[in-house]
Amino acid sequence: MDPSRKRKIRLIVALSAAVLLGAGLVYTSFSASTEAKEPSQLLQSDPGRTYQLTGEVVPGSIHHAGDQLDFRVSDRDGSHPIPVAYSGTVPDPFRDGREVIVTGKLENGTFMGERDSLITKCPSKFTTTTPGQSS
């Protein structure tokens, strides 16, 4: 077989494999993701499904009971607070008023967070600044 023909065949095979692997990666990343919802959206969702709950920690709602952390999360406007039961690692910046994301399921009106799924958003990324103002 001609060496230039071999190179073309190898190139086509390698590019085809790369395209297939890339398509598989994209498919896996989109199919494995869970839908992020605020409490008002979660209350209207299918019970038993896994979701990412996003919102602000209601001030004064944080309570520790053994290794369980109980708190309430509300929509960004402060409405529709929902109780959350969580166990696992708690990020250092977790506190009242901080925006969080936690993965879990809604059970009997309480969002049951999956172990070690609590993430605290950095507030500086979500505040708006006017031109000429530093954040």
Side-chain angles (χ1 to χ4, degrees):
M1 187 181 279
D2 183 24
S4 66
R5 182 169 164 83
K6 277 185 174 180
R7 273 187 252 132
K8 286 180 184 178
I9 291 173
R10 284 183 190 154
L11 178 63
I12 291 170
V13 169
L15 289 175
S16 298
V19 167
L20 288 173
L21 288 172
L25 180 63
V26 168
Y27 173 77
T28 302
S29 65
F30 283 113
S31 66
S33 65
T34 55
E35 207 174 332
K37 295 187 176 282
E38 288 191 321
S40 60
Q41 297 168 323
L42 184 68
L43 294 172
Q44 301 168 6
S45 300
D46 298 331
R49 282 191 55 199
T50 300
Y51 294 99
Q52 285 186 328
L53 174 64
T54 182
E56 290 186 1
V57 177
V58 175
S61 70
I62 300 172
H63 301 286
H64 293 275
D67 67 341
Q68 184 168 314
L69 175 66
D70 296 318
F71 58 98
R72 295 177 83 73
V73 172
S74 67
D75 285 2
R76 289 179 184 95
D77 63 4
S79 64
H80 302 94
I82 186 168
V84 176
Y86 172 80
S87 63
T89 306
V90 178
D92 288 339
F94 178 81
R95 62 182 55 91
D96 288 344
R98 192 58 60 97
E99 195 160 340
V100 296
I101 300 173
V102 63
T103 303
K105 295 180 181 181
L106 187 62
E107 296 178 9
N108 300 322
T110 299
F111 190 79
M112 305 301 291
E114 292 178 358
R115 184 169 192 78
D116 299 330
S117 68
L118 180 64
I119 300 169
T120 304
K121 289 186 176 180
C122 176
S124 62
K125 291 182 182 178
F126 302 99
T127 56
T128 56
T129 58
T130 55
Q133 178 184 7
S134 62
S135 52

